[in-house]
Amino acid sequence: MDVTMKDVAKLAGVSLSTVSRVLNDSSLVREETAHKVKKAVKKLDYQINDSARILRTNTSNLIGVIGAGMERPFLANLLKGIEAEAREKGFALIYGDSDGEFEKEQNYLNIMKQKKIDGIILITTNYYNDLLNIVKNYQIPVVFASGYISDPEIPCVTVDNVAAAYDVVDYLTRAGHKEIAFIKGPDLDLLASQERLRGVKLALRIAQLPYNSGRFIEGDFTFESGYSAAEKIMRKFPKITAIFAFNDEMAVGAIRYLKENGYQIPDDIAVVGFDGIELGKYTLPTLTTIEQSGYQLGLKSIELLDKIIAEEELEDNKVFIPHKLVVRESINKLSAKELASIKNKEVLVTNN
Amino acid sequence: MDVTMKDVAKLAGVSLSTVSRVLNDSSLVREETAHKVKKAVKKLDYQINDSARILRTNTSNLIGVIGAGMERPFLANLLKGIEAEAREKGFALIYGDSDGEFEKEQNYLNIMKQKKIDGIILITTNYYNDLLNIVKNYQIPVVFASGYISDPEIPCVTVDNVAAAYDVVDYLTRAGHKEIAFIKGPDLDLLASQERLRGVKLALRIAQLPYNSGRFIEGDFTFESGYSAAEKIMRKFPKITAIFAFNDEMAVGAIRYLKENGYQIPDDIAVVGFDGIELGKYTLPTLTTIEQSGYQLGLKSIELLDKIIAEEELEDNKVFIPHKLVVRESINKLSAKELASIKNKEVLVTNN
DNA sequence: TTGTACGCGTTATCAA
DNA sequence: TTGATAACGCGTACAA
């Protein structure tokens, strides 16, 4: 059996309660006594039994994370940010992948509830409405970290997908592109994808370009799907001059297809991605994209969740992380003059 | 307060122990009684209190994972494999990132011990010797999943890095490359990197080529480090005809540098990576690499750990996952004849 | 086949 | 400033 507080108490010659007080930094204990106890703790290499403490206090310092497709670079960084900030705030992480299946999500939700998690971060989104009901019912503090949730009660952290997608199309149209095709996400999937779609539509309307649903090819955020989407696009719409993929991996897949088939990028076809993953700086051509930080997203999610757990007053339960359009080699730059007309929107232009 | 067994017992009109028996599928309970209890459980939406159960049974169905750099594609897939198989086997995951720092590793080890994890998977390796001592001392079942641990007591799952690296250099030398440079991992880092180094040395010796430590440039597994390593290499060793990077990201970074500076790949410089991440199929040229499955690695790790936890007899506590040399566009292929001479080593040659 | 009673290791309450 | 004792919710030996 492991060392318990009892052993520590005996060795230090004090009572259980005193040991407990020392361990919890209670002020009502004489320094001398505290010292004795600490010595005993060290000597026995005592480790607290978390289960007993949780049983008694009903708080676990555990945060649950349910995600899907977390192997994607952007989301892997999100997880990293979550982990780092959670550790910082004294939480441990219990992590489950739902594969985007509602049943698995429910399942993990149950497991996590049984473990008395203090809060939960949801990165999976397919069935977020159903999920929300369960979570609300469970009364566990929750933060969504993969899109804007309109329900005013639900806290979420996200990039402004609508604005970001708008920026992309705005830039492209100002650069003279009139025939643009899009590689979107699975219809059932990420909220983010739907929001990006909204941003695109908005920008098209403002540029007085027609909206043609046929030009939105569905991908699943993988390289492979970007590759085959590009193939479909070029076959169906040979007059296309630009492709906007809703994430960087699909954009890279599309670039591979285009170059393989003799298209010059950006001169024949301009390509834009979304997310700003590291890879985009090392492709040839380098990738124009919307840069957002997954790490930041994770960090902010924990920050928000922590406040909710601590029942602090929130300024706002909808948090946006910054994004920038980073213009690299995969599209032609706007001239300084053209650029000036949108300068106010803080579009970053760089070769980096 | 949450629903407890007491509430269930009351509603079902039975005793606490009966409820417990039903929940644990004990056979000593009449079907009729069990049915009543199950109905009550469902009606109250009863969830077991895990802390209480762990406190009582001292087993948590929790597996700890301590890793570093898990945002890298290969390791992200490893984590995915771990998660999937752990769920399959009824374990939940508690995950911590050590950033490769010993202090954080210790810290997580303590936290996990307090949570009474049933076993632990270590993917971080810098200080594995020190870690091993702690883990041994803690008496927690452990599996290493990032390299071969020579200590016969320590179970590990890994690709055969020595053989894989050997295969790469063997192929290159047979293809006529005599001037090869290498981008290795940080000296302090991954065991895997050190093992790959051994494989390289072995192959050089057998090919009767000189070993020149200056030709091993240190990277840190990022695109960026591959890029700058390639720059150093071409500056210092202009006669180089091949570069072998110890992971795919560095290889892609190197390719970017080379193409940016007018080198033809593979004709001027051949490039080989390691890991077989998805991206390698979509670069231009596509990347020759050692393909190993991070997902498999994770899966096998949990499989092994599960057996250890269940105290099953092990066939072997050192498990190797398969690897293949996948020859793509970034190097020139061997002729059929040349190939035949190494056919016995099951080198896969493909364009895929 | 079911119920009673105790203990797991901690924290909280109360009294000293 | 400290100690005794009762809970927290569950599993299990034992009795019925």
Side-chain angles (χ1 to χ4, degrees):
Chain A
M1 213 49 254
D2 287 337
V3 177
T4 74
M5 275 174 46
K6 225 184 217 164
D7 304 311
V8 175
K10 193 176 290 174
L11 180 61
V14 296
S15 75
L16 271 181
S17 343
T18 302
V19 175
S20 175
R21 285 191 193 99
V22 173
L23 292 176
N24 293 292
D25 290 322
S26 164
S27 51
L28 344 140
V29 57
R30 204 159 25 138
E31 186 151 348
E32 196 187 317
T33 323
H35 187 69
K36 271 196 304 188
V37 172
K38 280 176 187 161
K39 228 169 92 182
V41 166
K42 199 154 266 171
K43 180 153 184 197
L44 297 174
D45 190 25
Y46 165 78
Q47 304 271 3
I48 201 173
N49 183 321
D50 229 38
S51 315
R53 193 171 53 74
I54 297 171
L55 177 59
R56 192 54 234 237
T57 63
N58 223 25
T59 144
S60 62
N61 295 322
L62 253 184
I63 286 179
V65 178
I66 300 182
M70 302 302 286
E71 72 284 1
R72 287 176 35 206
F74 179 76
L75 294 179
N77 274 307
L78 167 56
L79 187 57
K80 199 178 174 74
I82 289 177
E83 195 278 340
E85 188 67 8
R87 170 156 37 78
E88 183 71 23
K89 302 254 190 227
F91 294 105
L93 239 49
I94 164 163
Y95 165 65
D97 195 308
S98 73
D99 291 335
E101 294 170 26
F102 184 49
E103 202 184 327
K104 288 184 188 164
E105 293 175 344
Q106 273 183 298
N107 209 260
Y108 266 121
L109 234 33
N110 283 339
I111 291 175
M112 290 175 177
K113 179 160 198 225
Q114 297 168 358
K115 297 204 179 297
K116 297 275 182 261
I117 52 169
D118 290 344
I120 189 165
I121 293 194
L122 293 175
I123 305 164
T124 181
T125 49
N126 285 3
Y127 305 92
Y128 69 95
N129 259 321
D130 304 299
L131 270 191
L132 282 183
N133 284 329
I134 301 180
V135 173
K136 277 183 181 171
N137 187 39
Y138 277 178
Q139 314 242 40
I140 298 175
V142 62
V143 166
F144 262 81
S146 48
Y148 185 83
I149 308 287
S150 55
D151 182 332
E153 286 182 35
I154 305 297
C156 59
V157 181
T158 177
V159 77
D160 187 339
N161 284 294
V162 178
Y166 178 95
D167 287 350
V168 170
V169 176
D170 184 49
Y171 194 101
L172 287 175
T173 54
R174 283 173 199 265
H177 292 282
K178 292 189 174 1
E179 307 286 341
I180 312 175
F182 304 86
I183 310 179
K184 62 176 181 173
D187 274 342
L188 194 71
D189 204 278
L190 246 47
L191 271 178
S193 181
Q194 296 169 29
E195 293 167 7
R196 288 166 202 176
L197 192 56
R198 286 228 310 281
V200 168
K201 285 186 189 171
L202 190 63
L204 287 176
R205 189 156 24 140
I206 292 194
Q208 303 191 329
L209 290 175
Y211 166 71
N212 175 347
S213 66
R215 291 202 175 168
F216 291 76
I217 306 296
E218 186 172 320
D220 63 2
F221 296 120
T222 61
F223 293 110
E224 161 60 25
S225 72
Y227 182 94
S228 55
E231 187 174 10
K232 276 182 211 151
I233 288 170
M234 297 320 293
R235 195 165 293 165
K236 282 168 82 176
F237 311 107
K239 289 199 301 186
I240 288 297
T241 64
I243 294 179
F244 173 22
F246 283 12
N247 82 339
D248 288 345
E249 290 101 301
M250 294 194 295
V252 171
I255 286 177
R256 166 76 203 184
Y257 173 82
L258 293 171
K259 294 189 69 173
E260 206 173 291
N261 288 275
Y263 296 97
Q264 294 299 316
I265 305 173
D267 294 332
D268 296 339
I269 309 283
V271 177
V272 184
F274 201 113
D275 280 348
I277 64 177
E278 198 59 17
L279 165 62
K281 299 180 189 166
Y282 297 93
T283 50
L284 201 83
T286 49
L287 182 64
T288 295
T289 187
I290 290 287
E291 194 169 272
Q292 59 168 332
S293 163
Y295 192 91
Q296 265 310 301
L297 185 53
L299 190 152
K300 292 287 181 193
S301 303
I302 291 288
E303 233 177 63
L304 184 58
L305 185 57
D306 181 48
K307 282 183 188 162
I308 297 171
I309 291 170
E311 298 186 333
E312 287 179 28
E313 199 71 33
L314 298 183
E315 279 190 33
D316 198 344
N317 68 354
K318 312 288 184 195
V319 174
F320 287 96
I321 61 161
H323 70 269
K324 300 181 206 166
L325 175 61
V326 179
V327 179
R328 301 204 189 97
E329 299 162 354
S330 68
I331 70 175
N332 283 313
K333 277 186 212 161
L334 287 181
S335 68
K337 196 182 117 207
E338 290 163 328
L339 198 58
S341 66
I342 53 169
K343 232 348 178 331
N344 57 330
K345 295 178 55 265
E346 286 194 18
V347 172
L348 173 75
V349 177
T350 168
N351 281 313
N352 179 28
Chain B
M1 213 49 257
D2 287 338
V3 178
T4 74
M5 274 175 44
K6 220 185 221 165
D7 304 311
V8 176
K10 193 176 290 175
L11 181 62
V14 296
S15 76
L16 275 180
S17 9
T18 301
V19 176
S20 175
R21 286 192 192 97
V22 173
L23 293 177
N24 293 293
D25 290 321
S26 165
S27 50
L28 339 143
V29 59
R30 205 162 21 142
E31 186 150 350
E32 196 187 319
T33 324
H35 187 70
K36 270 196 304 188
V37 173
K38 281 176 186 161
K39 227 169 93 180
V41 165
K42 196 155 268 172
K43 180 151 184 197
L44 297 174
D45 190 25
Y46 166 78
Q47 305 271 3
I48 202 172
N49 183 322
D50 228 36
S51 317
R53 194 171 52 73
I54 296 171
L55 180 59
R56 195 54 235 243
T57 62
N58 223 25
T59 143
S60 62
N61 294 323
L62 255 184
I63 285 179
V65 178
I66 301 182
M70 303 302 287
E71 73 284 3
R72 286 177 35 206
F74 179 75
L75 294 178
N77 273 308
L78 167 57
L79 186 57
K80 200 179 173 74
I82 288 177
E83 196 278 341
E85 188 66 7
R87 171 157 36 76
E88 183 71 21
K89 302 255 188 228
F91 294 104
L93 238 49
I94 164 162
Y95 165 66
D97 195 307
S98 73
D99 291 335
E101 294 170 26
F102 184 49
E103 202 183 328
K104 287 183 188 163
E105 293 175 346
Q106 272 183 297
N107 208 260
Y108 266 121
L109 234 33
N110 283 338
I111 291 174
M112 290 175 177
K113 177 156 201 230
Q114 297 168 0
K115 298 203 180 297
K116 298 271 181 265
I117 53 169
D118 290 345
I120 188 164
I121 293 193
L122 293 175
I123 305 164
T124 180
T125 48
N126 285 4
Y127 305 92
Y128 68 97
N129 259 321
D130 304 300
L131 269 191
L132 283 184
N133 283 328
I134 301 181
V135 173
K136 277 183 182 173
N137 187 39
Y138 278 179
Q139 315 243 40
I140 298 175
V142 63
V143 166
F144 262 82
S146 48
Y148 185 83
I149 308 287
S150 54
D151 183 332
E153 287 182 34
I154 305 298
C156 59
V157 181
T158 177
V159 77
D160 187 340
N161 284 294
V162 178
Y166 178 95
D167 288 349
V168 170
V169 176
D170 184 49
Y171 193 100
L172 287 174
T173 56
R174 282 173 200 266
H177 291 282
K178 292 189 175 357
E179 307 285 340
I180 312 174
F182 304 86
I183 310 179
K184 61 177 181 172
D187 274 341
L188 195 70
D189 205 277
L190 246 47
L191 271 179
S193 180
Q194 297 169 28
E195 293 167 7
R196 286 166 204 177
L197 192 56
R198 287 227 310 280
V200 167
K201 285 184 189 173
L202 190 63
L204 286 177
R205 191 159 21 146
I206 291 193
Q208 303 191 326
L209 289 175
Y211 166 71
N212 175 347
S213 66
R215 290 200 176 170
F216 291 77
I217 305 296
E218 187 172 318
D220 62 2
F221 297 120
T222 61
F223 293 109
E224 161 60 24
S225 72
Y227 181 93
S228 54
E231 187 175 7
K232 278 182 209 149
I233 288 170
M234 297 320 295
R235 194 165 293 165
K236 281 168 83 176
F237 311 107
K239 290 200 302 187
I240 288 297
T241 64
I243 294 178
F244 173 21
F246 283 11
N247 82 338
D248 287 344
E249 290 101 301
M250 293 194 296
V252 170
I255 286 177
R256 167 74 204 187
Y257 173 82
L258 293 171
K259 296 190 68 172
E260 206 173 292
N261 288 275
Y263 296 96
Q264 295 298 316
I265 305 173
D267 294 331
D268 297 338
I269 308 281
V271 178
V272 184
F274 200 112
D275 281 348
I277 64 176
E278 196 60 17
L279 165 61
K281 299 180 190 165
Y282 297 93
T283 51
L284 201 82
T286 50
L287 184 62
T288 296
T289 187
I290 290 288
E291 194 169 271
Q292 59 167 333
S293 163
Y295 192 92
Q296 266 309 304
L297 185 53
L299 190 152
K300 292 288 180 191
S301 303
I302 291 289
E303 235 177 61
L304 184 59
L305 186 57
D306 182 48
K307 282 184 187 161
I308 297 171
I309 292 171
E311 298 185 332
E312 286 180 29
E313 200 70 34
L314 297 183
E315 280 189 32
D316 197 344
N317 67 353
K318 311 287 184 196
V319 174
F320 288 96
I321 61 159
H323 69 269
K324 300 181 205 166
L325 175 62
V326 179
V327 178
R328 301 204 190 96
E329 298 161 355
S330 68
I331 70 175
N332 283 313
K333 276 185 215 161
L334 286 181
S335 68
K337 197 183 117 208
E338 290 163 326
L339 197 59
S341 66
I342 53 169
K343 226 3 175 320
N344 57 331
K345 296 177 56 265
E346 286 194 20
V347 172
L348 174 75
V349 177
T350 168
N351 283 312
N352 178 26

